Amino acid sequence: MSDTPEGRDTVGSVYEAVFRDLSNGVLVGGQRLKVVDLAKRYGVSTSPVREVLRRMQGEGFVEINHNRGATVRRTDPDAVRNVYEMLRLLEPYFVSWFAQFAQPEMVDKLAAVQERIAATPITDLARFRELDIEFHGLICKRHYNDRAVASWRNLRHALLVFSAPLAIGPARYRTIVLEHEQLIAAFRDNDIEAALATIECHLDGSFEQMTQQMRILD
């Protein structure tokens, strides 16, 4: 990655690189983020790194202390609960719209992502989580309320970072795949009620799984 010229494209590239390392568990909770080291890692000057860290501080991924500098924020139960409470409001909103208005080709794209999810082994959690957010993103991305979509995206990104150190058990893995298939079936039938019941169960199950994992690691 070149550091000249360093404009919006460079900042965006650095943001994506840091976020990828956060969501894949390369950078972990409590780890110090030294600007010089990150700049060297990503092949840029320190300026875009500082800007990215400030942005991530606002998003809740990074903590910046005057004396200690920047650190990766540790995942805590309150943060996870807050994210899920917001998703519990937003995702049914998108799902009900999608169930009512999605064209068959839109559902076909969802099914294609689901096939890739089902073919991803549980040992490849990073890939599984990337595909999972792609699946849910297809439900949201065409909605007319772009502000709600942006809020959803930020929440889902936070969840990716918070879940990085956590495992997914085989039973939960199978349930996620099954619930995705149930969503697709509901969308094909334009069954809003079934779609809403599935997404609410899906979110509640994910929240319970994450909190259980956090208790184990505590």
Side-chain angles (χ1 to χ4, degrees):
M1 184 190 301
S2 173
D3 63 347
T4 58
E6 290 189 334
R8 292 295 91 195
D9 289 345
T10 299
V11 172
S13 297
V14 174
Y15 180 92
E16 290 175 4
V18 177
F19 180 81
R20 182 169 56 250
D21 285 346
L22 287 170
S23 59
N24 290 343
V26 176
L27 301 174
V28 298
Q31 181 174 342
R32 287 194 64 189
L33 300 172
K34 297 182 179 179
V35 173
V36 173
D37 291 346
L38 292 177
K40 182 177 180 181
R41 175 179 175 84
Y42 303 123
V44 297
S45 73
T46 59
S47 295
V49 173
R50 292 182 192 279
E51 184 169 342
V52 166
L53 293 182
R54 285 193 296 268
R55 177 178 168 186
M56 288 187 164
Q57 179 188 25
E59 294 172 341
F61 304 149
V62 168
E63 295 176 334
I64 298 179
N65 182 280
H66 179 69
N67 295 319
R68 297 185 62 232
T71 58
V72 179
R73 179 179 177 180
R74 295 184 186 275
T75 303
D76 65 85
D78 288 342
V80 171
R81 184 198 64 230
N82 292 344
V83 168
Y84 270 106
E85 285 183 356
M86 292 299 295
L87 286 175
R88 198 66 161 68
L89 296 173
L90 279 176
E91 292 224 6
Y93 170 66
F94 292 121
V95 162
S96 62
W97 175 87
F98 196 90
Q100 185 173 3
F101 296 110
Q103 299 298 311
E105 59 269 21
M106 295 165 65
V107 183
D108 289 342
K109 289 183 179 179
L110 205 61
V113 176
Q114 172 64 5
E115 289 181 4
R116 289 152 61 200
I117 290 173
T120 302
I122 193 172
T123 51
D124 192 355
L125 278 182
R127 180 61 176 160
F128 180 83
R129 285 170 171 147
E130 287 175 2
L131 290 170
D132 182 69
I133 199 170
E134 182 179 350
F135 179 92
H136 289 276
L138 285 173
I139 298 171
C140 304
K141 66 183 292 185
R142 296 200 186 189
H143 197 278
Y144 62 87
N145 191 330
D146 55 350
R147 290 194 177 188
V149 173
S151 295
W152 172 87
R153 187 179 296 113
N154 288 339
L155 290 166
R156 275 286 176 175
H157 282 176
L159 208 56
L160 269 181
V161 174
F162 293 158
S163 64
L166 307 177
I168 298 177
R172 180 60 197 160
Y173 178 92
R174 290 191 296 270
T175 299
I176 290 170
V177 172
L178 175 61
E179 288 170 347
H180 283 182
E181 292 171 353
Q182 291 171 342
L183 277 174
I184 292 170
F187 293 147
R188 291 202 186 281
D189 293 337
N190 300 114
D191 190 337
I192 298 173
E193 185 176 342
L196 285 173
T198 301
I199 195 62
E200 288 169 0
C201 184
H202 189 63
L203 290 168
D204 290 346
S206 294
F207 175 68
E208 178 62 25
Q209 185 266 336
M210 279 194 72
T211 51
Q212 286 179 354
Q213 287 287 317
M214 290 174 67
R215 283 195 291 268
I216 292 172
L217 295 177
D218 190 7

